[in-house]
Amino acid sequence: MKKQTFVTKAQLDNIVRQYPTPFHLYDERGIRENMQALKEAFAWNEGYKEYFAVKATPNPFLIDILREYGCGCDCSSYTELMLSEAIGAVGEDIMFSSNDTPPEEYAYAEKLGAIINLDDITHIDFLEKTIGYIPKTISCRYNPGGLFKVSNDIMDNPGDAKYGMTTEQLFEAFRILKEKGAEEFGIHAFLASNTVTNEYYPMLAKILFELAVKLSRETGAHIKFINLSGGIGIPYTPDQEPNDIRAIGNGVKRVYKETLIPAGMGDVAIYTELGRFMMGPYGCLVTKAIHEKHTHKDYVGVDACAVDLMRPAMYGAYHHITVAGKEDLPCDHKYDVAGSLCENNDKFAIDRMLPKVEKGDLLIIHDTGAHGSAMGYNYNGKLKSAEILLKEDGSTQLIRRAETPADYFATLDCFDVGERLLKQKL
């Protein structure tokens, strides 16, 4: 299978005349079509709501597109709460799912009226001491432990994850919260990451729906919502088939009818917290080949580096690469595609078969729309790149400018060296 780009060589040539490489480029049309498909897939559930995982792509211009379709924000930090408030997502438009949470973050979430999702049973007392009470609507994160399997394939290992409560803790937490004044409850779980199978969500739903029935019966708690969180992945490699979100929605619907409705719980809302699925395929990193090196291997040096996309260096993750304008040429040259960091793992691809790459060629690194720019950093004094939106009409909009040296040195303003550097008109 051939991975298609959402931008043409002619479009890129026009874009790079205005914006220097490297930069992250996002596809407005693809984002909108995907969000609409998600809404339709879960339209059968009256209370359905997607809370976009802000951590994946914390750009208000992009999140505002999703909010046009009723999307809320899944936040996990103080600054993500700030971003949500700034774009008007407050109250129950925020799901605050955090762990090892500082008191000021709980206090801010409470101030905004966010739904708070507790990661641990000890956080009940911590939250109450922090804000002075237990909210009437509260959620708890569940971790059943063990391995999570789909068709005997191990998808992930929840038992090794630092998140969530055990089964026994969850039941005890509901009882304690109910005694302290909570009236409406949510259940949240994230058991596997980046699954490329239509079976993950229905299997997770079955676990959580059965758990909800037991919790309701044994604690008397009113279950308002069940949050299936994230985990629906994207096909990073050309041989993977993408998830069918409508099939996934139908699978969850089937389990809902089998489990919750017979228990008299047909009013439970379904929430999701998708990030990668919402944005991943609709972003790419555009970088220029600036060097070639022939030693023990053949290298293409590009003007992007792991600062712009950490996943290959951090996880050994595969990101497909297209050489713009050479899509139909044979991939008969083997390269390591490398950045300029003083780290040997600063490689976007290792032993990758590509068409012959020449200096000046534009390389499109696919599927960077989530956990791409968001994971950027400043090692080696490198500066994070711009983010650009390719709009439906073919025009472009700068939605985050590239960092400058002045940005890098700005936090040194408490030292004389910072002031001197900034005076150099950097």
Side-chain angles (χ1 to χ4, degrees), residues 5-315:
T5 61
F6 59 79
V7 62
T8 66
K9 175 66 161 58
Q11 286 176 310
L12 273 186
D13 287 341
N14 286 330
I15 294 171
V16 298
R17 290 189 187 101
Q18 185 174 3
Y19 304 107
T21 56
F23 53 78
H24 285 271
L25 185 67
Y26 301 92
D27 175 23
E28 180 182 7
R29 184 185 302 278
I31 293 168
R32 289 186 180 278
E33 290 176 352
N34 191 52
M35 182 68 221
Q36 183 61 37
L38 176 67
K39 278 193 68 173
E40 292 172 2
F42 286 91
W44 54 267
N45 182 256
E46 187 175 347
Y48 172 74
K49 192 174 184 71
E50 155 69 0
Y51 288 87
F52 175 67
V54 173
K55 66 180 75 67
T57 319
N59 190 300
F61 291 92
L62 300 175
I63 298 172
D64 268 340
I65 294 173
L66 302 181
R67 283 188 48 72
E68 291 180 31
Y69 299 82
C71 188
C73 293
D74 163 45
C75 299
S76 58
S77 70
Y78 199 95
T79 46
E80 289 180 1
L81 288 169
M82 289 178 67
L83 189 154
S84 295
E85 183 184 18
I87 63 176
V90 296
E92 293 198 356
D93 270 354
I94 300 175
M95 182 71 63
F96 184 60
S97 294
S98 180
N99 70 93
D100 195 19
T101 308
E104 60 270 18
E105 295 191 0
Y106 274 143
Y108 190 17
E110 184 275 336
K111 176 186 173 184
L112 296 179
I115 300 173
I116 293 175
N117 183 37
L118 297 175
D119 182 68
D120 187 68
I121 192 168
T122 64
H123 290 193
I124 298 173
D125 287 341
F126 186 79
L127 175 65
E128 187 175 33
K129 289 175 183 176
T130 299
I131 68 175
Y133 66 97
I134 292 297
K136 292 189 182 301
T137 299
I138 195 82
S139 178
C140 292
R141 187 166 185 169
Y142 176 56
N143 184 335
L147 299 175
F148 186 82
K149 298 181 179 181
V150 175
S151 301
N152 294 321
D153 290 332
I154 297 174
M155 305 302 293
D156 222 320
N157 187 355
D160 275 350
K162 67 176 182 175
Y163 310 107
M165 307 181 197
T166 67
T167 303
E168 294 77 12
Q169 289 173 339
L170 189 68
F171 277 78
E172 182 64 16
F174 269 48
R175 292 187 181 99
I176 294 171
L177 289 165
K178 196 164 181 286
E179 290 173 1
K180 291 180 177 292
E183 296 176 359
E184 296 184 314
F185 292 79
I187 308 170
H188 174 289
F190 179 87
L191 302 187
S193 178
N194 193 41
T195 63
V196 189
T197 168
N198 295 335
E199 298 305 313
Y200 168 63
Y201 249 21
M203 289 188 68
L204 172 62
K206 182 177 176 60
I207 292 170
L208 294 185
F209 294 170
E210 291 176 348
L211 178 67
V213 172
K214 291 179 182 178
L215 280 164
S216 177
R217 289 174 178 168
E218 295 184 23
T219 70
H222 175 245
I223 311 296
K224 180 181 179 180
F225 65 84
I226 294 173
N227 190 334
L228 301 177
S229 67
I232 297 179
I234 61 174
Y236 283 102
T237 61
D239 60 317
Q240 289 179 304
E241 288 287 339
N243 283 315
D244 182 341
I245 195 61
R246 290 179 173 83
I248 290 170
N250 284 331
V252 176
K253 179 181 179 181
R254 182 187 68 252
V255 181
Y256 190 99
K257 286 184 173 181
E258 292 171 353
T259 309
L260 291 180
I261 290 180
M265 298 174 65
D267 61 340
V268 174
I270 301 300
Y271 294 165
T272 56
E273 288 175 358
L274 299 170
R276 193 190 316 258
F277 178 80
M278 302 308 300
M279 290 286 184
Y282 313 109
C284 63
L285 175 60
V286 179
T287 182
K288 183 182 294 183
I290 57 173
H291 289 288
E292 58 181 290
K293 182 176 183 177
H294 305 284
T295 53
H296 305 289
K297 304 182 77 172
D298 291 335
Y299 294 90
V300 170
V302 296
D303 58 4
C305 64
V307 163
D308 303 292
L309 181 63
M310 187 194 292
R311 295 185 75 255
M314 187 174 187
Y315 305 122

Side-chain angles (χ1 to χ4, degrees), residues 375-390:
M375 294 177 71
Y377 56 108
N378 290 115
Y379 180 60
N380 270 182
K382 295 294 185 179
L383 305 174
K384 289 183 275 189
S385 300
E387 294 180 278
I388 300 164
L389 180 63
L390 178 61

